[in-house]
Amino acid sequence: MKRLLFLAAFWLSVPLAAEPGAGLADRVLVDKSERSLRLYRDGALIHEITGLQFGGAPLGHKWFEGDERTPEGRYTIDFGNPQSRYHLSLHVSYPNAADRAQARQAGRAPGGAIFLHGQPNRLPEDRRMVGDWTDGCIALTNAEIRTLWKMIPDGTVLEIRP
């Protein structure tokens, strides 16, 4: 409910770069090799973003905290953070049970705090960090994360492919 109240205030104050016309997504697909994110509603593609930025070691699945990899697998977007250090952010439900077991087997912590997010707040609005720079998150432009913020409700399925 907090996110819905925030969204109402946010919609009134933050302009979109490109107004999506197809409504809310029920599935998000991230393809790391294509550096793309696609939103679907009832099986139909409703929005696409390319040029994603990942963790500093973008190839392969996240094994443990600090490996700078972006997870791969099936998760959900479980909440939005309007107070993010990276413009806005949408939390990914990593780690799941398999991720925790894998890290435990290696004697490591799985990590967490994986988000879809914008650029660091310290940057001017139209600037973008260069290359893959996150600790495992999926970074977008500020305009792109504002669009996703409006189109991805809490509980939306997220699949991250290699």
Side-chain angles (χ1 to χ4, degrees):
M1 184 61 153
K2 276 197 260 181
R3 182 161 175 216
L4 290 176
L5 292 174
F6 178 81
L7 279 172
F10 184 76
W11 281 342
L12 297 173
S13 65
V14 179
L16 277 179
E19 188 70 37
L24 298 178
D26 59 17
R27 181 170 170 248
V28 180
L29 174 62
V30 170
D31 188 309
K32 289 170 54 177
S33 64
E34 292 180 359
R35 294 183 177 269
S36 67
L37 180 148
R38 294 178 180 95
L39 300 182
Y40 294 89
R41 175 88 186 159
D42 297 325
L45 178 66
I46 60 171
H47 193 72
E48 183 173 15
I49 296 171
T50 59
L52 303 178
Q53 296 171 294
F54 299 110
L59 299 178
H61 178 60
K62 184 165 194 61
W63 287 92
F64 51 83
E65 185 174 35
D67 67 4
E68 294 192 349
R69 292 186 175 176
T70 300
E72 296 169 356
R74 188 176 172 97
Y75 303 95
T76 59
I77 300 295
D78 48 9
F79 66 87
N81 178 10
Q83 305 300 318
S84 175
R85 295 180 302 159
Y86 303 99
H87 194 60
L88 293 171
S89 60
L90 297 168
H91 187 260
V92 175
S93 64
Y94 175 89
N96 60 27
D99 298 321
R100 286 190 294 278
Q102 176 181 285
R104 186 173 41 253
Q105 191 174 50
R108 305 288 299 262
I114 301 296
F115 290 86
L116 304 177
H117 62 67
Q119 300 296 301
N121 288 334
R122 70 180 184 274
L123 290 180
E125 172 64 23
D126 61 345
R127 293 291 306 271
R128 184 178 177 132
M129 298 282 288
V130 176
D132 290 316
W133 57 272
T134 76
D135 289 331
C137 295
I138 299 167
L140 308 112
T141 68
N142 291 347
E144 290 165 342
I145 193 63
R146 284 193 298 268
T147 297
L148 296 183
W149 183 270
K150 292 180 180 185
M151 294 183 75
I152 301 174
D154 294 350
T156 301
V157 172
L158 166 67
E159 182 182 351
I160 305 172
R161 293 183 181 167

